[in-house]
């Protein structure tokens, strides 16, 4: 029940369920770890830290999770003997991969706080090694899939494979705005600015589009699913997705979906929603990749476990996005630089809101004052005003990045071609 409430961003209900459970079973450390993690997800720093410290005080080596919560939320509160207990978890052959992953990340963050970037980067590597050992990944298959999607997008543009008048039978209710890009590229900040607009509900990272596709055309690789979407399927997917959007906020004009990985589904989205605004966010390639590499995702990104594969994946992502911009028939794609947004938020935010058919409201830049909290890896930042101190942070790891360095030396292969970055035209709401 608590996990369902958290997924729906109903944090008060999640806390109530877990706090009652912990009160009934105060000795259940597993429940207390879940409670501490839930506070962290909701950005409740004081409760997250105090609950984590109480677990450590009762049983220091029980789990790496309380240490990781402290290391990423308030490292100065870390107990003095944390390294000893985390090293024991990391070295214990009986520790499962997820525990080793969290222990390594907590140790990495401790090293970062102490200014030892070389040791920090080595610990991040150990965390990724534990994850890769437990969850193998076929990178060659992933890269072939993205090439297939490139070819399918070009073919669709050349043969006008639009799905008829998919808008004809739309019922009243909110329409979608999709926000896509690599993880840690600014999708959360972009959505929170949109979500502060009175006509928009920010739904976060939701799986409703993928679910609608699975329900209508069946499961499979994205290219296989795309090949099955004819006019009839497109209408069914659209109808199911719009019904889901009405369940979120029937009174709003738009509901956002900021699932970053939807960038591989863009041809599907365009076929089903040729009228939907799509915002593509991006940052400096090393800022993006190193943030992915050093962020403790609840479900780690498997392509990031190897630095060389992470560089290959980033290149493939750029290649795919370039094709999507080249074949942007209806001018629905908007290319948004995180650095530009942070440097000049009022101008840039006003521009991409106009692209979505939205008028400007100054309170959009005061998104951090709302109670709506992002349940993402960026959960701390979205409670603050727009800030510039994250720009250039990747440079502290530059001496240790190995294969990622080629993302800068091969600049032409790692930059979305922005000559046609956006129509900058307002989309009809």
């Amino acid at each position: 029940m608590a996990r369902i409430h958290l997924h729906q961003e109903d944090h008060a209900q999640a806390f109530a369920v877990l706090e009652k459970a912990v009160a009934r079973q105060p000795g259940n450390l597993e429940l207390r770890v879940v409670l501490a993690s839930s506070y962290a997800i909701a950005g409740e720093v004081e409760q997250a830290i105090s609950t984590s410290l109480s677990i450590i005080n009762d049983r220091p080596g029980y789990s790496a999770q309380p240490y990781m919560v402290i290391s990423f939320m308030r490292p100065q509160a870390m107990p003095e003997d944390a390294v000893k207990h985390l090293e024991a978890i990391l070295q214990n052959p009986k520790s499962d991969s997820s525990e080793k992953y969290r222990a390594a990340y907590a140790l990495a963050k401790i090293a970062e706080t102490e200014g030892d970037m070389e040791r920090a980067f080595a610990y991040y590597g150990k965390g990724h090694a534990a994850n890769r050992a437990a969850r193998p990944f076929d990178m060659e298959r992933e890269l072939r899939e993205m090439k297939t999607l490139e070819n399918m997008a070009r073919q669709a543009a050349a043969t006008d494979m639009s799905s008829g008048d998919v808008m004809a039978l739309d019922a009243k209710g909110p329409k979608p705005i999709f926000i896509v890009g690599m993880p840690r590229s600014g999708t959360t900040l972009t959505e929170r600015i949109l979500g502060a607009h009175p006509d928009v509900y920010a739904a976060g990272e939701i799986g409703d589009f993928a679910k609608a596709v699975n329900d209508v055309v069946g499961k499979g690789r994205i290219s296989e699913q795309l090949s099955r979407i004819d006019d009839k399927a497109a209408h069914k997917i659209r109808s199911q997705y719009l019904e889901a959007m009405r369940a979120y906020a029937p009174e709003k004009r738009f509901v956002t979906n900021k699932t970053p990985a939807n960038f591989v589904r863009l041809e599907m989205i365009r076929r089903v929603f040729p009228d939907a605004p799509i915002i593509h966010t991006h940052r400096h390639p090393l800022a993006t990749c190193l943030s992915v590499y050093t962020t403790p995702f609840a479900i780690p990104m498997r392509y990031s476990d190897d630095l060389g594969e992470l560089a290959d994946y980033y290149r493939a992502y750029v290649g795919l996005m370039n094709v999507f911009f080249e074949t942007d028939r209806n001018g629905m794609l908007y290319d948004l630089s995180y650095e530009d947004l942070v440097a000049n938020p009022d101008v840039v935010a006003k521009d991409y809101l106009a692209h979505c058919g939205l008028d400007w409201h100054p309170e959009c830049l005061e998104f951090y004052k709302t109670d709506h909290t992002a349940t993402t890896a960026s959960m701390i930042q979205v409670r603050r005003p727009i800030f510039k101190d994250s720009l250039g942070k990747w440079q502290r790891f530059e001496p240790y990045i190995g294969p990622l360095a080629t993302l800068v030396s091969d600049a032409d292969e790692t930059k979305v071609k922005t000559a046609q970055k956006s129509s900058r035209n307002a989309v009809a709401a």
Side-chain angles (χ1 to χ4, degrees), residues 126-158:
K126 290 180 179 180
H128 282 286
N131 185 60
R132 176 56 63 89
R135 305 169 71 233
F137 185 65
D138 188 344
M139 178 58 77
E140 289 302 318
R141 183 181 180 187
E142 199 73 16
L143 298 180
R144 287 196 303 270
E145 173 72 357
M146 284 203 259
K147 280 296 181 184
T148 300
L149 292 171
E150 286 183 23
N151 294 333
M152 294 179 80
R154 289 192 179 99
Q155 182 183 5

Side-chain angles (χ1 to χ4, degrees), residues 41 68 98 101-102 131 135 295-301 375-377:
I41 288 171
M68 194 173 74
S98 60
Y101 174 83
R102 288 190 286 265
N131 185 60
R135 305 169 71 233
T295 295
F297 294 102
I299 302 176
M301 307 295 163
T375 51
T376 74

Side-chain angles (χ1 to χ4, degrees), residues 203-256:
E205 296 184 26
I206 53 176
D208 298 274
F209 186 79
K211 182 181 186 303
V213 172
N214 288 345
D215 289 347
V216 174
V217 302
K219 295 181 179 180
R221 296 195 69 77
I222 290 171
S223 58
E224 296 168 349
Q225 292 180 315
L226 179 57
S227 68
R228 302 177 200 142
I229 298 179
D230 55 14
D231 286 3
K232 183 178 180 181
H235 279 82
K236 286 184 177 180
I237 295 167
R238 184 181 179 102
S239 178
Q240 180 173 326
Y241 189 80
L242 290 177
E243 185 177 352
M245 296 303 96
R246 287 191 290 275
Y248 285 106
E251 77 287 357
K252 298 289 188 178
R253 288 174 57 204
F254 293 101
V255 172
T256 61

Side-chain angles (χ1 to χ4, degrees), residues 40-54:
I41 288 171
E44 299 294 341
V45 178
E46 298 302 329
Q47 293 95 320
I49 298 300
S50 62
T51 305
S52 296
L53 287 172
S54 73

Side-chain angles (χ1 to χ4, degrees), residues 35-114:
L35 178 59
S37 301
S38 301
Y39 287 140
I41 288 171
E44 299 294 341
V45 178
E46 298 302 329
Q47 293 95 320
I49 298 300
S50 62
T51 305
S52 296
L53 287 172
S54 73
I55 297 166
I56 293 171
N57 184 63
D58 288 354
R59 190 172 166 188
Y62 173 71
S63 170
Q65 180 69 9
Y67 295 100
M68 194 173 74
V69 168
I70 296 169
S71 68
F72 279 83
M73 299 192 85
R74 185 178 291 162
Q76 61 269 32
M78 187 68 72
E80 289 184 4
D81 58 354
V83 171
K84 177 183 72 174
H85 294 294
L86 288 167
E87 283 283 8
I89 294 171
L90 187 60
Q91 301 302 327
N92 187 347
K94 295 182 179 179
S95 297
D96 64 28
S97 60
S98 60
E99 273 293 289
K100 290 183 177 181
Y101 174 83
R102 288 190 286 265
Y105 266 67
L107 286 162
K109 199 63 179 177
I110 292 171
E112 269 196 66
T113 303
E114 295 172 350

